Amino acid sequence: MTETPMLRDRAPGDDRADGRDETPNERADRNWTEVLQELRVLQTGTQILTGFLLALAFQPAFADLDQGQRVFYLVLVVLATLSAVIALAPVALHRMVFGRREKRTVVRYGHIALITALVTVSVLLVGVVAFVFDVVLGAAASWTIGIAAAVVLITLWGIVPVILRVRGRS
């Protein structure tokens, strides 16, 4: 006879009825591994965008940018830097509290940092696409692609996950 998830979840030390037979420490370890995987994906994309942005300033055509485009560019560089700092913050916290049994705190902090970094990176992605279109085709194309990219991003990163989360609860 197989135990139902609800019975198995009531094992000593298990703090959640979610179908997993794990202690709070095991759950924290698993969640930390998941946070690290997500950080790796996010950090790689952020590093590529940051490298792209930093390389632009050393291209001959950079001198042709007008004042508004230069300000836009600098805002994007700040966003890229900020997103990298936010995405690495959970790793820095983990190093500072290593061995002090603070894994659950680190996981919660990592969760918040990842959401914040995703918001920052989403603005950065839309901005980079809009910036490139502004330089290549002009302001009208920049606004069009920027709005289109924002709609796609909000749909795929926001609306679809919320719908799936709500469906999963029912």
Side-chain angles (χ1 to χ4, degrees):
M1 175 185 270
T2 306
E3 289 184 54
T4 63
M6 292 300 285
L7 292 176
R8 192 174 66 234
D9 281 336
R10 301 210 192 280
D14 197 351
D15 65 341
R16 240 186 232 172
D18 64 356
R20 294 180 185 267
D21 188 18
E22 57 190 2
T23 66
N25 285 339
E26 289 169 337
R27 179 174 289 109
D29 289 340
R30 178 179 52 82
N31 287 340
W32 178 241
T33 300
E34 291 174 8
V35 165
L36 284 178
Q37 289 296 76
E38 293 167 3
L39 282 169
R40 286 183 184 110
V41 171
L42 182 65
Q43 191 59 33
T44 301
T46 302
Q47 287 173 339
I48 291 168
L49 272 175
T50 303
F52 163 74
L53 286 170
L54 294 176
L56 284 179
F58 301 101
Q59 301 302 312
F62 191 80
D64 297 336
L65 298 180
D66 63 34
Q67 186 63 24
Q69 290 169 328
R70 287 175 189 248
V71 169
F72 192 11
Y73 167 79
L74 291 173
V75 167
L76 293 173
V77 169
V78 169
L79 278 172
T81 303
L82 186 59
S83 66
V85 169
I86 293 168
L88 288 172
V91 176
L93 176 64
H94 183 256
R95 284 294 93 209
M96 294 302 293
V97 299
F98 183 77
R100 295 183 181 213
R101 300 181 185 269
E102 295 289 337
K103 185 73 64 80
R104 284 190 269 178
T105 301
V106 172
V107 169
R108 280 192 302 273
Y109 182 82
H111 171 71
I112 293 166
L114 273 168
I115 290 172
T116 305
L118 282 170
V119 170
T120 308
V121 168
S122 66
V123 174
L124 176 63
L125 286 169
V126 170
V128 167
V129 170
F131 177 75
V132 169
F133 272 71
D134 184 36
V135 171
V136 175
L137 297 175
S142 173
W143 280 102
T144 302
I145 196 66
I147 291 168
V151 167
V152 169
L153 202 141
I154 289 167
T155 301
L156 294 179
W157 288 14
I159 295 170
V160 171
V162 167
I163 290 170
L164 294 175
R165 186 175 181 162
V166 168
R167 283 186 186 165
R169 287 184 185 160
S170 55

